[in-house]
Amino acid sequence: MSHTDLHDLGVAQLTALLRGKQLSAVEAAQHFLARARAHQHLGIFLAIDEDVTLAQARAQDEALAAGQAAPLAGLPLAHKDVFVTRDFPTTAASKMLAGYRSPFDATVVARLAQAGCVTLGKLSCDEFAMGASNENAAVAPIGFDSPQPARNPWNPAHVPGGSSGGSAAAVAARLAPAATGTDTGGSIRQPASFCGITGIKPTYGRASRYGMIAFASSLDQAGPMARSAEDCALLLSQLCGPDLERDSTSLDKPAEDFSAQLNDRLEGLRIGVPKEFFSAGLASDVQAAVEAALKEYEKLGARLVPISLPRTELSVPVYYILAPAEASSNLSRFDGVRYGHRAKDYADLLDMYKKTRAEGFGDEVKRRIMIGAYVLSEGYYDAYYLQAQKLRRMIADDFQAAFQDCDLIAGPVAPTVAPLLGAQTDPVTSYLADIYTLPASLAGLPGMSVPVGFGNGNLPVGLQLIGNYFQEGRLLNAAHRLQQATDYHLHQPAGLSQQPGEGI
Ligand code: GLN
C-alpha cells in the first residue's frame, strides 16, 4: 500500500498492517515523526528523540519477525508529559522540571510499551495538568524557543482544550494515531471534545497513578485518547489493571478485553439525561449537536430518561477546594532539593525554597497552591475542606440515585466549543466551564467524550457519556455504536497536509 496516508489509519488498522507485515514499525514511526516535525508550528510536542523512537520500533520489528508480537506491536503513540519516562525528558510543562529525566517509566507507559507500543515523544499540557486550555504550558514545544500553548488543529487561533491539549491536538492533527492523557476534572474529556476525537477516563483506580506526576491524587486518572471508541478500547484493555504495590489507590480489578464488548445492541438501553447539564450556560450550538446525538441514540433503540443530578453546580466550588488542597500538598516536593529547578542565588535554605518556587511555578500553579494552603489551614479547614469532602460524597450519592433509573448518563462535555486563544483571562470563568466534567470526576466514575458534530466556527462538539463504576465496556460500546451510525470521528481538520513532509 502507499504509505503517504498512514496517518489516516487508526489503531486497529495500523496494528493489523503491522501484524500482517505490510508495514514495519520503523516505517510507521518514521512517518509519524516526519509529520510531527512538519506540524511543529502547532506547538504539540514538547520532546521528540528520533533515535529512541526508532530503536523501540526496531525492537518491535524483531519481535514481529520472530513471531512474538505483543498485541499492539509497533503501534506508534505519544504520551502526555505528566507521565514520567526513562527515555525522554519529563516536565509536566513546568519550568520547575525543565531538563528532568526520570529513572523509571510510569506504569501506564510501561504497560503500553509491554503491549508493543512505540513512543513518538512527549506532549504538551497545562502546567502540572492545571488548566482547561493548554495556555498554562510553561515549556517551549519543539521548534520554539519560548513557551507556547498547543493549538487546535481545527483552527490554530483556538485552544485545543486542556489540560491534555497536546494529546488531543496530536490525535486530531494525525501526528499520532493515539495518545495518553490524564483527567483530574475533565482533562481527557474536554480536550477530546474541543478537538473532535474520542477519549475515555476509566473508573478511578483502574489505571495506575504510579509515575503520573501528581496533581490531585484522589481524582487523577489516566486514559487513552484516539480517533474512535474502537481504538480507545484496544488501548484501555492494555493500560488498565492492578498495580497494588506501587499505587495505594489502585483497584484489584483485572484489565478486561474491552474490544470484545463493542458489539452489544443498544435496544432497551436507558440513557439518563440530567436536566442540570442543559442549564442556561450551555451554548445553543453545543446543545443542538448534543440533542441530535441523543436522537440518534433513540434511533439505535435506546430510551432517553430525564434524570436530575441536583448538586451539579456545587461540583465547581467542591472541586476547586479539594483539587488545590491536594495540589498544595503534592507540589511541596518541588523544593529545589530533590527535583528539577533550583534558584541560583539565595541567602539560606528558606530563601532557596522561596526563590526556587517563585521562579519555577507559573501563575496558575501558584494560585492553586495558595488556595490549597488556605483551605487546609487551621480555622478554615472545617469551613472549606471538610464541607467540600461531605459534598463530594453527596455528589457521588446523587449519581447512584440516578443510576437506579438509567444505565448510563449523557450530556455535553463543555458549555461551548473551543474558545479563542487568549480569550479566557479570568480564572473563575475557566473554572466554571468545567461544570459538566467535574461531577463524574468527584464521584470517581468513568466518563468519555465522543465527537457528535460541529458548532460555531465549524469547531467540534463532544458528547459526554458517564457510566457507573467499572462500566467502561458499556460506555465504549455505546460510543462505538454511535460511531457506526455517524461519521463525525472520521472528519478531519481542513488545511492539514496529507504529506508527512509538508506543513499546513
Ligand atoms: N480544568 C480542570 C482544572 O484545571 C481539570 C484539569 C484536569 O483534569 N487535569 O483543574
Side-chain angles (χ1 to χ4, degrees):
M1 72 169 281
S2 140
H3 286 173
T4 53
D5 49 3
L6 276 182
H7 49 273
D8 287 336
L9 305 181
V11 172
Q13 297 154 309
L14 282 168
T15 359
L17 287 182
L18 285 155
R19 282 190 165 268
K21 307 217 177 57
Q22 289 152 283
L23 170 70
S24 74
V26 166
E27 285 171 311
Q30 280 170 334
H31 180 89
F32 282 101
L33 286 172
R35 243 184 109 74
R37 290 270 184 222
H39 294 87
Q40 62 187 28
H41 57 283
L42 293 172
I44 290 171
F45 276 91
L46 297 185
I48 272 185
D49 184 331
E50 270 92 353
D51 293 343
V52 168
T53 301
L54 293 176
Q56 291 182 6
R58 274 193 292 276
Q60 292 305 320
D61 279 333
E62 281 161 26
L64 282 156
Q68 293 162 345
L72 301 177
L75 178 78
L77 55 66
H79 293 293
K80 182 177 183 180
D81 205 22
V82 298
F83 291 97
V84 301
T85 42
R86 220 177 20 203
D87 297 334
F88 293 86
T90 302
T91 65
S94 180
K95 268 201 323 218
M96 191 56 112
L97 280 171
Y100 175 69
R101 280 266 175 171
S102 165
F104 66 97
D105 280 334
T107 297
V108 161
V109 171
R111 276 196 190 193
L112 289 170
Q114 234 160 40
C117 296
V118 171
T119 304
L120 292 169
K122 303 298 286 293
L123 297 166
S124 185
C125 55
D126 284 304
E127 184 176 4
F128 288 107
M130 298 177 191
S133 68
N134 216 117
E135 289 167 294
N136 299 333
V139 165
I142 61 162
F144 288 89
D145 44 25
S146 62
Q148 302 285 329
R151 286 161 185 275
N152 192 317
W154 292 90
N155 182 340
H158 289 253
V159 304
S163 62
S164 314
S167 307
V171 174
R174 303 183 180 213
L175 311 188
T180 52
T182 65
D183 193 310
T184 302
S187 281
I188 289 176
R189 290 162 284 161
Q190 185 257 30
S193 172
F194 283 3
C195 290
I197 65 154
T198 308
I200 180 163
K201 167 197 108 74
T203 305
Y204 178 80
R206 267 211 113 152
S208 171
R209 288 187 298 108
Y210 182 67
M212 234 171 80
I213 294 175
F215 161 17
S217 308
S218 78
L219 296 150
D220 297 343
Q221 193 56 201
M225 304 170 77
R227 292 215 297 275
S228 67
E230 186 188 16
D231 288 357
C232 283
L234 284 164
L235 291 160
L236 193 66
S237 307
Q238 302 300 327
L239 171 162
C240 284
D243 192 18
L244 305 178
E245 276 165 29
R246 294 192 171 114
D247 171 1
S248 60
T249 57
S250 169
L251 295 170
D252 196 3
K253 184 95 178 162
E256 290 170 45
D257 179 0
F258 295 109
S259 305
Q261 301 175 40
L262 296 180
N263 290 311
D264 290 349
R265 301 178 65 83
L266 301 187
E267 262 84 25
L269 184 80
R270 297 168 303 161
I271 300 182
V273 183
K275 65 168 187 277
E276 293 79 4
F277 279 37
F278 294 82
S279 51
L282 181 63
S284 56
D285 56 330
V286 174
Q287 181 161 354
V290 166
E291 283 173 352
L294 294 176
K295 285 219 172 71
E296 193 63 44
Y297 270 121
E298 282 187 307
K299 278 199 229 155
L300 292 169
R303 189 153 59 82
L304 303 182
V305 183
I307 58 160
S308 173
L309 294 170
R311 293 178 185 84
T312 296
E313 234 175 32
L314 289 175
S315 66
V316 178
V318 167
Y319 174 88
Y320 280 98
I321 288 170
L322 297 180
E326 293 186 31
S328 75
S329 163
N330 274 326
L331 270 57
S332 65
R333 76 191 65 179
F334 299 104
D335 56 5
V337 177
R338 284 167 295 180
Y339 304 98
H341 179 73
R342 179 185 297 174
K344 281 209 173 53
D345 305 308
Y346 46 88
D348 53 25
L349 183 64
L350 192 63
D351 194 41
M352 191 278 280
Y353 288 153
K354 282 189 187 161
K355 288 193 174 131
T356 294
R357 288 167 68 84
E359 293 167 9
F361 290 137
D363 288 350
E364 185 59 28
V365 175
K366 286 179 188 157
R367 186 177 296 124
R368 305 230 185 166
I369 291 173
M370 287 191 284
I371 296 170
Y374 179 83
V375 299
L376 290 173
S377 61
E378 201 185 340
Y380 295 103
Y381 180 89
D382 289 7
Y384 292 105
Y385 186 75
L386 219 55
Q387 287 294 99
Q389 287 285 38
K390 288 182 188 160
L391 279 163
R392 179 180 187 175
R393 160 61 56 188
M394 294 163 99
I395 289 166
D397 290 347
D398 288 346
F399 275 106
Q400 291 315 307
F403 282 126
Q404 300 291 314
D405 300 323
C406 61
D407 306 307
L408 55 82
I409 293 172
V413 175
T416 64
V417 294
L420 279 166
L421 279 157
Q424 277 178 342
T425 44
D426 163 25
V428 176
T429 314
S430 157
Y431 299 169
L432 287 169
D434 291 340
I435 184 162
Y436 305 133
T437 51
L438 298 177
S441 294
L442 289 165
L445 293 167
M448 71 183 295
S449 176
V450 193
V452 290
F454 297 88
N456 292 348
N458 204 28
L459 290 161
V461 176
L463 175 78
Q464 183 175 206
L465 297 174
I466 300 168
N468 211 341
Y469 302 110
F470 306 116
Q471 295 291 312
E472 291 83 2
R474 180 175 272 168
L475 288 183
L476 289 161
N477 173 228
H480 180 62
R481 284 276 160 178
L482 188 70
Q483 291 183 335
Q484 286 183 316
T486 60
D487 68 353
Y488 296 115
H489 62 298
L490 301 176
H491 288 230
Q492 55 175 314
L496 284 184
S497 112
Q498 282 305 306
Q499 298 302 319
E502 291 168 16
I504 279 184

